[in-house]
Amino acid sequence: MADAKNVLGTNLEICCTSPMTGFYRDGFCTTGGQDMGMHVVCAQVTAEFLEFTKSLGNDLSTPFPEYNFPGLKPGDCWCLCAARWQEALEAGVAPPVVLSATHARAVEVCNLEDLQKHAVTKK
C-alpha cells in the first residue's frame, strides 16, 4: 500500500479510522481484485447523500453491529464506490471529497475536475 497514489499523484493518505473505512477496513480507500465496487472515493457524507444512497438500496446510515458497522452520520468520512459518487453527482447530491485520500483509480469512473470541484480538507 505504500505505493498507492491519490488523484493528486502523491501518496494516498488515510481517509478515516472512526468509523473504520475502506474495502479492507484499514482506513484507506485502496482497491484490489476483490473490490468489485471500487471503493476509492474518500467522501465526507452529507444527509442528502445518505438519503440518496439509501433510496438506491445501499443504507449507510443504519448500524449493522453484526458487521461491526456503526452507521454513518453527516460529516463522517467514508470510502465510497466511484460509480455511486458519480451517480450522486449526476443527481445533484455528490458529497464533498478528500482528494488526498481518494485513490487515483477514481478517475477511471469520475472526472478529476468534478472531484476537484467538490474538494474539502479533512477535518
Side-chain angles (χ1 to χ4, degrees), residues 52 84-95 111 114-115 118:
F52 170 76
R84 180 51 46 94
W85 189 87
Q86 185 63 36
E87 288 174 335
L89 175 70
E90 293 167 9
V93 293
N111 183 299
D114 290 332
L115 293 168
H118 289 81

Side-chain angles (χ1 to χ4, degrees), residues 27-40:
F28 288 88
C29 296
T30 52
T31 190
Q34 296 173 323
D35 181 14
M36 300 313 227
M38 207 160 68
H39 296 77
V40 294

